[in-house]
């Protein structure tokens, strides 16, 4: 089955620093990957759609300059949280659609900004 | 009104019970319907995927879609403590890899031994 690997699974960083999260499709090519943010007891909120070889499409209200997305290959997309602040602390999840059906999610990254 | 409505629960049931989880939606363009299970601090895991109306069964899980009522359900038979998790419904208008998926808020299920 389709597998999406996401790293790191958790990270603690200081306020003002940047953090990069990687999302890899291990056994399929993902032209499109999605980045979500999830707050406690809330649903997944789509942040942006990442297209291989082109600029990401951001959802309304998501700061493009703060959440940098790069999709350099068919198997790798990265999300960089720049100049992180405590309010950026959240659970970030990527997903991609594999062959056949459904969307496969990564295991998520818990970001804590102190 | 949200595009997808889902009761957040929590829902507590005894082991062995039949569990019914539901979502309603307002966008008639939705044609693909999914159920995900999410354990605490983990990414969602796809359980069921259905297209249009009808039923689909996979082991102890049955997914139902009623497009006329804009209502979908997930039934879990012989529930087990390991089924304790948050269940998210999700839907999209198309099947292309670029299609945006809209999620419900999730229902937290607890199966009590």
């Amino acid at each position: 089955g389709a597998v999406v690997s996401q790293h790191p699974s958790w990270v603690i960083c200081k306020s003002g620093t940047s953090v990069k999260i990687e999302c890899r499709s291990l056994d399929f090519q993902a032209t499109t990957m999605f980045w979500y943010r999830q707050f406690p007891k809330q649903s997944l909120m789509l942040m942006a759609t990442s297209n291989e070889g082109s600029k990401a499409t951001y959802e309304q209200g998501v700061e493009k300059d703060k959440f940098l997305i790069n999709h350099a290959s068919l198997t790798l997309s990265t999300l960089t949280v720049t100049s992180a602040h405590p309010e950026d602390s959240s659970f970030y999840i990527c997903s991609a659609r594999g062959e056949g059906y459904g969307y496969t999610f990564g295991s998520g990254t818990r970001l804590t900004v102190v | 009104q949200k595009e997808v409505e889902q009761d957040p629960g929590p829902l507590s049931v005894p082991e062995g019970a039949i569990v019914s989880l539901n979502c309603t939606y307002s966008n008639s363009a939705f044609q693909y319907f999914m159920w995900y299970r999410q354990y605490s601090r983990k990414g969602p895991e796809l359980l069921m995927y259905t297209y249009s109306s009808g039923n689909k069964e996979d082991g102890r899980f049955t997914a139902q879609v009623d497009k006329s009522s804009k209502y979908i359900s997930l039934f879990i038979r012989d529930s087990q403590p390991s089924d304790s998790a948050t269940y998210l419904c999700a839907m999209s208008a198309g099947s292309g890899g670029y299609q945006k998926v809209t999620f419900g808020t999730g229902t937290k299920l607890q199966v009590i031994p």
Side-chain angles (χ1 to χ4, degrees):
Chain A
V3 178
V4 173
S5 174
Q6 185 174 343
H7 293 281
S9 57
W10 61 271
V11 58
I12 301 173
C13 71
K14 290 185 178 179
S15 185
T17 62
S18 296
V19 174
K20 180 186 283 188
I21 303 169
E22 290 191 350
C23 182
R24 293 179 184 273
S25 55
L26 297 186
D27 49 2
F28 66 99
Q29 293 184 330
T31 306
T32 305
M33 288 187 176
F34 303 87
W35 287 95
Y36 295 86
R37 184 172 180 178
Q38 187 176 36
F39 292 101
K41 299 185 180 180
Q42 293 189 27
S43 187
L44 296 151
M45 181 191 77
L46 180 64
M47 298 174 65
T49 302
S50 165
N51 299 296
E52 185 267 337
S54 63
K55 290 183 179 181
T57 302
Y58 289 80
E59 295 297 303
Q60 190 174 7
V62 178
E63 298 178 59
K64 301 179 183 181
D65 295 332
K66 181 165 190 62
F67 298 100
L68 300 179
I69 292 173
N70 182 277
H71 195 154
S73 76
L74 286 171
T75 59
L76 174 64
S77 178
T78 60
L79 167 67
T80 301
V81 182
T82 62
S83 187
H85 289 281
E87 58 264 31
D88 297 326
S89 299
S90 189
F91 193 55
Y92 293 87
I93 312 174
C94 67
S95 80
R97 186 171 184 270
E99 290 295 324
Y101 56 86
Y103 291 79
T104 302
F105 285 84
S107 54
T109 298
R110 181 158 300 281
L111 169 64
T112 301
V113 184
V114 297
Chain B
Q1 182 186 7
K2 294 180 180 177
E3 273 193 302
V4 179
E5 298 275 2
Q6 184 175 10
D7 187 337
L11 177 64
S12 293
V13 300
E15 182 176 355
I18 296 175
V19 176
S20 173
L21 303 166
N22 312 292
C23 287
T24 59
Y25 63 95
S26 58
N27 188 345
S28 58
F30 288 144
Q31 294 194 73
Y32 295 84
F33 304 91
M34 294 151 277
W35 285 96
Y36 287 86
R37 176 174 62 195
Q38 185 177 22
Y39 293 109
S40 181
R41 304 192 177 198
K42 298 290 184 182
E45 168 195 10
L46 179 66
L47 284 176
M48 302 286 284
Y49 176 91
T50 55
Y51 168 70
S52 194
S53 288
N55 295 355
K56 185 174 183 179
E57 187 174 324
D58 184 2
R60 296 185 296 110
F61 299 91
T62 300
Q64 287 187 353
V65 175
D66 182 349
K67 290 189 68 180
S68 62
S69 301
K70 296 189 177 66
Y71 187 88
I72 69 171
S73 300
L74 176 71
F75 297 97
I76 306 174
R77 292 184 299 279
D78 187 25
S79 56
Q80 303 295 310
S82 58
D83 295 328
S84 299
T86 296
Y87 290 81
L88 297 153
C89 64
M91 42 200 82
S92 67
S95 63
Y98 56 89
Q99 287 288 340
K100 177 180 175 179
V101 178
T102 303
F103 288 86
T105 53
T107 299
K108 187 172 183 178
L109 171 67
Q110 184 178 12
V111 180
I112 302 168

